Amino acid sequence: MINEESEPLNLKKVQSGDPEELTRMVQQYSDPIYRVALRMLNNQAEAEDVLQETFIKALRSLENFEGRSNLSTWLYRIAVNESLMVIRKRKPEVSIIHDDTGDEDNEGISVSQIVDWCCLPESEFLSNETRSVLNDAIQKLPENLRSVFILRDIEGLSIIETAQALELTETNVKTRLLRARMKLREELSVYFGERMSEY
Amino acid sequence: MEKHLHCKDFVDTISSYVDGDLSEELCVELDKHLSECDNCRIVVNTLRKTIDIYQHQAENEKAPEDVKDRLFYRLNIEQFRK
Ligand SMILES: [Zn+2]
C-alpha cells in the first residue's frame, strides 16, 4: 500500500542522485518496506536493520535499476531478500523452510475448520490478542508462502507485481497464495472458533 | 461445464474466486455451488474475512518516527549525489 496521493517520483532525478528526490523516495517507501520486514521477521530490531539495508542497497545500485519493473517492486524485492538473509543468519543450522509440496499441484490444502466466525463482534478482530494470533499464524507459514501473502494481500500488489518482486511465475504466485491463504484461514478458524463459544 | 462441481474443485479455485479473477462462466458455476453448499460458503466467507483482517491490521501501520530518524541518519543521502 504505497501512498498513491503523493507526487510520482522522477526516476531520472532519483537515478542521478538528486538528494531531494532520494529523500522523497525514502519517505514514500519506508512505511511499506518496514511493514514487509516486520511481517517477514516479527521482530522490530531486525525489521529496522532490513529497512536500512534495503535503502542502502537500493541507493548504491540505483543506476543499475533498469525500469523493467516498478521502483516499488524492485524495493520490495530487495527487502524480501534482505529479510530472508536475516532468517538464514538466525538459524544457520536450519535451512529456509520451504513448502515441500510442488508448486504445480494443490495437494495438501486442508480444509478441516468449518466454523462460521465472520459474525463475531468487530471488536474481536481488533483486540491485542487477535493481533498476536495473526502474527503467530503468519510466522508459521513457510517463508516462500509468507512473502507471497505479505506482498499480495497485505501490501496489495497485483499478481503480476508480486511475481516480478519475487521472481516467480504468475502461476506460482497464485498457487502459493492459495496455500498461504488457506493455511491462515485454518489457523484463524481454530482461534475464532473457540472465541465463538463465548457468545 | 457438464460435470457436477465438487467441493474439491471449489477449493482449488477459491483464491481466484475471491479475487474475482475467473471467467464469468466458471463464476456462475461456483456461485451455484455456493448457494447449495453450506461448507463451501463458510470457507469462502472466512477466507475473505481472514484476508480482510490482515489488510485492516496493516492499513495505517507506519514505521515509528525514531526508526525513520535513524534511517535518514544512516543513509546520509547527500553522499549519494553524483
Ligand atoms: Zn462445496
Side-chain angles (χ1 to χ4, degrees):
Chain A
M1 283 171 288
I2 308 291
N3 186 359
E4 304 282 348
E5 279 156 33
S6 40
E7 182 100 349
L9 290 167
N10 181 326
L11 191 58
K12 275 214 172 97
K13 279 190 184 174
V14 166
Q15 288 190 303
S16 69
D18 180 90
E20 240 172 73
E21 207 65 1
L22 288 179
T23 303
R24 287 214 310 131
M25 178 184 86
V26 177
Q27 271 163 350
Q28 270 187 34
Y29 294 117
S30 52
D31 290 330
I33 295 299
Y34 181 77
R35 274 198 304 266
V36 167
L38 194 56
R39 292 289 179 300
M40 283 299 290
L41 300 162
N42 201 25
N43 176 301
Q44 292 180 354
E46 288 177 338
E48 179 169 356
D49 284 344
V50 166
L51 176 69
Q52 294 185 357
E53 287 307 317
T54 298
F55 282 109
I56 287 170
K57 288 223 162 119
L59 291 177
R60 278 188 195 139
S61 54
L62 261 173
E63 31 187 4
N64 303 328
F65 174 70
E66 288 168 343
R68 270 187 301 217
S69 57
N70 295 330
L71 194 60
S72 61
T73 315
W74 183 66
L75 290 170
Y76 278 129
R77 171 160 53 212
I78 303 175
V80 169
N81 287 338
E82 287 297 316
S83 303
L84 291 175
M85 276 187 0
V86 170
I87 293 171
R88 272 188 212 112
K89 272 186 217 154
R90 245 191 220 168
K91 38 175 185 184
E93 73 283 6
V94 185
S95 57
I96 296 279
I97 308 162
H98 280 295
D99 191 317
D100 284 323
T101 42
D103 269 325
E104 301 313 320
D105 64 73
N106 290 335
E107 291 304 318
I109 291 176
S110 81
V111 183
S112 59
Q113 298 294 322
I114 312 282
V115 188
D116 192 358
W117 44 267
C118 296
C119 51
L120 279 167
E122 205 51 30
S123 58
E124 278 290 333
F125 303 124
L126 304 171
S127 72
N128 283 337
E129 194 180 331
T130 294
R131 173 170 288 268
S132 95
V133 169
L134 293 180
N135 288 342
D136 289 348
I138 213 168
Q139 293 310 305
K140 280 190 200 164
L141 290 177
E143 283 86 358
N144 61 345
L145 302 190
R146 199 187 304 159
S147 53
V148 169
F149 182 78
I150 292 171
L151 293 189
R152 168 74 182 122
D153 280 342
I154 298 184
E155 292 304 313
L157 271 64
S158 68
I159 298 282
I160 297 174
E161 287 166 334
T162 307
Q164 285 173 345
L166 300 174
E167 300 184 287
L168 294 171
T169 64
E170 286 175 47
T171 309
N172 278 348
V173 168
K174 286 183 189 175
T175 311
R176 289 181 190 190
L177 186 63
L178 170 63
R179 280 210 212 109
R181 285 171 164 180
M182 293 304 273
K183 279 177 194 258
L184 293 173
R185 193 205 71 86
E186 287 283 310
E187 290 281 336
L188 297 201
S189 294
V190 173
Y191 172 71
F192 287 123
E194 277 170 25
R195 301 293 305 155
M196 288 286 289
S197 60
E198 303 214 350
Y199 290 89
Chain B
M1 245 206 223
E2 285 293 302
K3 72 178 164 89
H4 186 71
L5 189 90
H6 293 285
C7 298
K8 168 80 173 71
D9 304 313
F10 188 79
V11 168
D12 287 345
T13 49
I14 194 168
S15 193
S16 303
Y17 178 79
V18 301
D19 284 345
D21 190 18
L22 292 173
S23 71
E24 211 184 310
E25 190 193 8
L26 192 50
C27 257
V28 171
E29 279 300 309
L30 294 173
D31 283 340
K32 185 164 169 293
H33 179 80
L34 277 183
S35 70
E36 296 159 351
C37 178
D38 288 345
N39 278 6
C40 284
R41 205 165 49 239
I42 290 174
V43 173
V44 79
N45 287 342
T46 48
L47 180 63
R48 281 205 174 104
K49 190 73 185 173
T50 296
I51 299 168
D52 188 63
I53 299 174
Y54 273 103
Q55 277 171 350
H56 192 81
Q57 187 208 28
E59 222 160 39
N60 295 311
E61 190 180 293
K62 294 183 181 335
E65 283 309 315
D66 57 327
V67 168
K68 285 188 194 175
D69 290 345
R70 288 192 292 271
L71 172 65
F72 277 102
Y73 180 77
R74 172 105 193 265
L75 289 177
N76 186 14
I77 276 173
E78 283 293 333
Q79 70 173 314
F80 292 94
R81 187 196 284 276
K82 304 236 161 50

